[in-house]
Amino acid sequence: MRVQPRVLAVVPLVAALVACVGASAQPVGPAQAFHGIAAPGSAVRSICDPDNGGLNLPGGFCALVVYDAKTAAGGPAKVRDIAVAPNGDVFVADQSPGGGVLALRDTDGDGKADETRRFGTSPGNGIYFRSPYLYFAPNDRVERYLMSPESLTPVAGPEVIVSGLPATGNHVTKTILVTEGGTLFVGVGSSTDSCQALPGVPGSLGIDPCPDFPIRAGIWRYDANVPGQVHSPAHRYATELRNMVALALNPFDGSVYGLQQGRGGLNHNFPDLFTPQDDAALPAEEFFHFQEGGRYGWPYCYYDGRQDKKVLAPEYGGDGKTVGRCADAEDPLLAFPAHYAPNGLLFHDGRQFPGKYRGAAFIAFHGGPNLPESYNVTVVRFTGNGRPHQPEVFADGFIGAGAVNLPADADHRAMALAEGPDGSLYITDDAGGRIWRVLHANR
C-alpha cells in the first residue's frame, strides 16, 4: 500500500542541557557495565561524562564516551555498525585497512571499555548479534562467529553464510539484519550514482534497464543459519534502491525499514535543467517501510521534497516536473532534506528512556557538504496508527568548534546506532573513531 509521505525539515532541540539527575532523582535502572553488573546504589549520572562527551542532548539525558580511537592503543580509524550482546559486550565493525571486528568490555563498572579484543582481518560495515552468533559483513560476503558470554573472542568461526556480494564501483559496504526466526537481510548498494551509460559525463543518459538490478541496488533475503549460500537475483527482496546503509528491524511489527541516500549531480549532469540551488535542495532522503517485491524508483525517479512527489530523473527523460513511470514507484513514509546522508537507524525497544520514545525511530545522519545542521541523531516518534510525528534532533555537537569546510573539518560524524540490554543508546562515529552511550536519569 502506498502511503502519502510528509516532507519535513528536522526541528532542532534547545542545545542547552538540563541537569541529568538531581539529588532526589532515581535512576531508570542499573548503570550497567558492559558485562551487565552495576555498582550497588550507582546513579546513571555518576558514569556520564561532565560534558556528555561533547554532545548536546535533551533534558534528562546524559552521555559518556565508551571508547575513543584517539586514546586507545591500536584503535580503528573507521568504526562503523555496532552490535551489543545480551551480556552487554560491544562489537563494532571496522572499515579501516585490516578491518575486522573490534570487541569491547567494561570490567570495572565505570562505563568505559577497558578490555579490548580484535578478530577478523577484512574491512567491513555490517554487524549484527543474534545469540549465540555474531554476524559480520565484509564488503564481499556475510560471515558469522560462534560467541560465548565468557569470552570477547569467538568460540568458532568464521563460517561464510553468503559469498559473492559485489564489492566494486560505488557503495561497496553492506548492512545486515537477522530476525529472531533466522532470516538474514542484506542491503546492497548501486555501482553508480544514477546509472548513466557514461558515469559523471554531462548529458549522458541512463541505461534502461539499469544493469545493477540482478545483484545490486536493493535488499536481499537469505537463511541466516545456512552456510555456503551464494548471492543471486533469486533472493532479492526489494529493488530500485540506490544505497541502503541505514536499515533496521522494527521489533513492534517485525518489518524492515530503512533510509535511502539520494543521488547527486543533477546540475552537473544536466545544467540546462537544474541550477546549483536545485542540486543543493534535491533529492530528498527517503524513509521507507519495505515490502517484499517493492520497487522504490532509483535510478529512474527521485523524490522532490519541494513538490512532495517522485519525478522522472533527467537521465531517463525527466525535466524536473514529469512524473511518468514514477507514478508506480513506492513513496516514502517521510522525506528528509537532501544530502543529510542517513547511515544508521534504530527502533528503540527499551524502557530506560521516557515512554514517548518507545517504538521511536532514531536516525544517525552522517552529514553533508557544508550543511552543519545535518550532522546529528534525529528521532521520529509515531502515532498509535503508525503515522510519523514531526522529527526532532535528539543529539548534535558532533562537528566540534571551528568546523568550516564540512565534512573535512568535522571532528565526529554520527554513523550507526545500537541499543544496550539496559535500554541505553550507543552511537558510533567513523570520523573520530568514538563511541558514545546515552542514558536517561529519570522516568
Side-chain angles (χ1 to χ4, degrees):
M1 180 179 69
R2 297 186 65 188
V3 179
Q4 181 62 37
R6 291 193 293 162
V7 182
L8 301 170
V10 178
V11 178
L13 295 173
V14 177
L17 299 179
V18 178
C20 271
V21 62
S24 61
Q26 297 297 315
V28 177
Q32 284 183 304
F34 283 179
H35 48 42
I37 299 173
S42 63
V44 166
R45 183 66 193 177
S46 68
I47 65 170
C48 285
D49 295 332
D51 66 347
N52 295 318
L55 298 184
N56 301 319
L57 299 165
F61 289 90
C62 63
L64 69 152
V65 175
V66 169
Y67 177 84
D68 194 325
K70 292 183 178 179
T71 59
K78 284 199 172 185
V79 292
R80 298 283 289 189
D81 280 3
I82 179 171
V84 186
N87 71 338
D89 288 341
V90 173
F91 301 94
V92 186
D94 180 4
Q95 205 182 26
S96 62
V101 177
L102 173 71
L104 305 170
R105 178 177 287 177
D106 172 18
T107 63
D108 59 12
D110 68 352
K112 308 285 185 179
D114 51 64
E115 183 177 347
T116 303
R117 296 288 185 271
R118 285 180 171 277
F119 50 92
T121 58
S122 299
N125 175 80
I127 199 164
Y128 207 89
F129 196 97
R130 182 63 73 187
S131 187
Y133 294 102
L134 179 72
Y135 291 80
F136 175 55
N139 296 337
D140 64 351
R141 63 192 183 277
V142 178
E143 56 192 27
R144 73 177 182 182
Y145 295 88
L146 178 62
M147 306 302 295
S148 166
E150 285 72 41
S151 174
L152 270 175
T153 54
V155 174
E159 57 182 348
V160 176
I161 302 300
V162 181
S163 63
L165 297 173
T168 59
N170 295 350
H171 312 137
V172 299
T173 61
K174 309 298 183 290
T175 302
I176 55 174
L177 309 172
V178 182
T179 71
E180 289 187 5
T183 298
L184 167 67
F185 289 98
V186 185
V188 183
S190 63
S191 64
T192 66
D193 187 39
S194 54
C195 206
Q196 288 177 289
L198 300 172
V201 175
S204 176
L205 298 181
I207 305 171
D208 194 0
C210 181
D212 275 352
F213 292 143
I215 58 170
R216 301 188 75 142
I219 301 170
W220 270 255
R221 180 174 58 189
Y222 295 97
D223 190 327
N225 296 309
V226 177
Q229 298 167 93
V230 179
H231 186 55
S232 78
H235 295 278
R236 191 173 65 185
Y237 180 78
T239 191
E240 297 182 5
L241 293 162
R242 176 180 173 272
N243 195 27
M244 295 303 309
V245 182
L247 281 177
L249 293 170
N250 184 336
F252 297 92
D253 66 12
S255 296
V256 179
Y257 290 72
L259 286 97
Q260 174 171 239
Q261 295 183 356
R263 57 160 298 166
L266 289 169
N267 171 249
H268 176 271
N269 292 351
F270 292 89
D272 293 340
L273 295 174
F274 300 92
T275 67
Q277 291 73 30
D278 292 329
D279 214 33
L282 300 172
E285 312 282 39
E286 299 174 87
F287 186 6
F288 290 117
H289 176 189
F290 293 113
Q291 307 293 333
E292 183 174 4
R295 308 182 74 89
Y296 295 87
W298 180 92
Y300 313 119
C301 316
Y302 65 89
Y303 198 91
D304 186 323
R306 300 180 301 192
Q307 300 183 69
D308 294 352
K309 65 180 182 181
K310 280 192 173 171
V311 297
L312 194 62
E315 292 82 1
Y316 295 89
D319 57 5
K321 299 178 182 178
T322 300
V323 174
R325 68 205 285 183
C326 302
D328 296 328
E330 298 289 339
D331 280 328
L333 293 173
L334 284 176
F336 287 90
H339 314 304
Y340 269 43
N343 269 9
L345 175 64
L346 172 75
F347 286 87
H348 195 270
D349 190 29
R351 304 299 179 99
Q352 186 191 106
F353 287 11
K356 69 179 183 178
Y357 291 106
R358 190 159 194 258
F362 287 79
I363 304 163
F365 286 110
H366 206 221
N370 303 315
L371 293 170
E373 69 278 10
S374 66
Y375 294 72
N376 68 65
V377 173
T378 287
V379 63
V380 178
R381 294 181 291 116
F382 293 85
T383 65
N385 63 1
R387 298 292 294 163
H389 284 290
Q390 179 83 5
E392 296 178 334
V393 172
F394 178 79
D396 61 16
F398 294 96
I399 60 176
V404 177
N405 298 309
L406 296 171
D409 289 347
D411 291 342
H412 307 285
R413 304 179 72 183
M415 170 60 215
L417 307 166
E419 185 174 323
D422 65 339
S424 55
L425 176 69
Y426 289 82
I427 306 170
T428 66
D429 143 45
D430 69 344
R434 182 172 285 186
I435 301 170
W436 293 267
R437 180 180 170 198
V438 179
L439 304 106
H440 192 268
N442 305 294
R443 63 174 177 181

